[in-house]
Amino acid sequence: MIERSGASISPLPAMHRSSMAAQAWGGHPLWRPVQRLLKGRAARTWDNGHADRHFKLRRVLLIVLVVLGAVIGTDYMVDIMPRHGRDWAERGLLTLFAILFAWVSAGFWTAVLGAWVMLRGRDRHAITNVLRSAGGTALIAPEARTAIIMPICNEDVTTVYAGLRATCESLAATDAAARFDFFVLSDTNDPDARAAEQAAWAQLTEALQRAGTDARIYYRWRQHRTHRKAGNVADFCRRFGADYRYMIVLDADSVMSGECLASLVRMMEAHPDTGIIQTAPRATGHVTTHARILQFCSRVYGPLFTTGLHYWQLGESHYWGHNAILRMAPFIEYCALPPLPGKTSLSGDVMSHDFVEAALMRRAGWKVWIAHDLDGSYEQVPPNLLAELGRDRRWAQGNLQNSRLMFEPGLHPVHRTVFLTGTLAYLSSPLWLAFLMLSTVLFATHSHVVPTYFTEPYQLFPNWPTANFKLMLTLFGLTAVLLFAPKVISLVAIIAKGEAKRYGGAAKLLLSALLESMHSVLLAPVRMLFHTQFVLAALAGIKLAWKSPPRHDDATSWGEALRRHALGTVLALTWIGVIIVSATAFQWWLSPVLAGLLLAIPLSAWTSRAAPGRWLAARGIFVIPEELMQPAVLAEADRYAKSFESMPDFIDAVTDAEVHAEVLRTIPVRPPSRAAKAAAQMRLVERAAIEGPHALTNAQRLRLLADAQALRALRARLLAGGAHHDWSALTAHMGSPAIAEPAPQSVDAIVSAH
């Protein structure tokens, strides 16, 4: 419980330490397939035998459909080839085509199966079925305590605390609020952002107190930042996890309704064999054109694919790292992640930790589900193309890294498939690029070959070359169907169910879908080129600097767009020149690829701006239901975000009495420093006072923000006078103290007192 004494609120509960030890990975990646054959069967704690027969039938059906589609498509391609796959170049092209056609086919059939479930209206295996019975309104037992954690690192403070406050107040309106505690877990290493976080936490707790909401919200800053987000979560589990049965993980941009949070706990209580339940967050929040297109795409087409994933994954599903609930005890016991051995870019800390944690949870015998039809879970999308590509670079490296674990002993086949599909999601880009390049070379080569009309001695009639245009058009049409049919199915389903009015009407919905498809076609080659660079960089051993994505509508400058997309423009111009010089006819099927690369610079810059996005929204283009009828929790999050004023920084934490008091409240109470440590503190205080705030490094500023004794001493030193002129200009704005100021003392007096 939060300790209250007047306005005093403790930032952390008492620690209840537990062990979360990581088990070593199963040997060298090349040895793991053999290990799996030797040891895998004994490690199958997830195998339920006949109980999973229906699950296996669904997966076999999907595999048959995907393989059948790939075989048919490749057979058409063989007939189209001039030499019918008899030389090495055509065989290489056919191999690439078979892999890529199977990949596209897998997405198509996943969407079709999702559409079938949605049209039926229910799936008897859905984890949410319990909410439609008595369990949907059942009271949550007092011992079923849940920690809602939000790991953050140099995030936009307005986004974090506006969403957190809306989520907290929505939960307070339910009858389950007493079972939940909130934790903000900060890995921030920017002192200005840290000061803003500290002040915002204090303001939030005070606001909730004034509103009569007895919410428990804690704040912890991790001084030693190791293993990124996974290390932050594991550190929380070791310190406080033993006090909770469940843990709900939020992202910095997550917003969840109280009913959704309570429903997750009720589902876990009703399914004691379940370790993770992942919601399907709906994208909201930004107004740039790019973000609005992503929101529209996610809202219109996303449910189809998520439902399709649920159809064949069932209890061996994805975990996306946020907006999900985890069972604490097995997570602590089985899901600690040791670094991957080696010294390459694919070694070290596990970056896409969520996929791996789900696989380890299932290996231990606990099921992992997607609650694909649960409402009340929301997230934001990247505001511009470059932000999206920055996120994709992290995901690309993480998924390539996870490919090393594909044959880890004891994993469920579905989670091995998740690792494979995650890898192919990015490897498909260099494969597509290679396919297009090779097809260009083959076309240019064969366009100059003089056909041989008489291949046999004394042949009476010539062999006229055939172009197989009918087969080419058939294959092109089949590929287009696989790519665009899921979108058409989604649109038909929305209109047929009478839901088009939630998207601004059928006409606006169809126009938005047409514009989105054009946008996607133009950006597909841009994403392909960037993803290829990401894959090659990861394989070449180039390390990745992990940065938090932008949470606000940050426009891309024309200079930045030119710098980032110049390579694609040069490639397109060179490609066109090679075709003109080497081929007798232009390869018209490459037009969308070349057009997308040529238009990347203006598209990236224009779609990053908010003004065009607002113009489109005013005309009902790319509208989603959450905009026409905004859920209460999102409306509150928006209202709180608009109420934030300018964020305080490190200097404010010293010179502004109110911010200084708020920051002090976030620092856990510790015994006073003594001897050498106290002397070092006071030397730092004296240096800050004499040399000014700009003489301090970020590490030194963070030390002061984490030490109440030193922070008070620095403020006392400034009030005593004789400080650097930078401080003197600022102390004029200190104002009347919001707390009792300590009497000015010399540094020697402060040190000797301890």
Side-chain angles (χ1 to χ4, degrees), residues 340-356:
L340 290 168
K343 297 182 179 180
T344 69
S345 63
L346 300 184
S347 59
D349 295 340
V350 177
M351 298 179 69
S352 290
H353 58 91
D354 36 21
F355 283 17
V356 181

Side-chain angles (χ1 to χ4, degrees), residues 193-210:
R194 170 147 159 71
E197 288 173 9
Q198 292 172 289
W201 175 83
Q203 292 167 15
L204 174 59
T205 54
E206 286 182 353
L208 293 175
Q209 272 189 306
R210 289 195 302 269

Side-chain angles (χ1 to χ4, degrees), residues 38-45:
L38 297 177
K39 301 179 181 179
R41 185 170 298 277
R44 289 181 179 177
T45 56

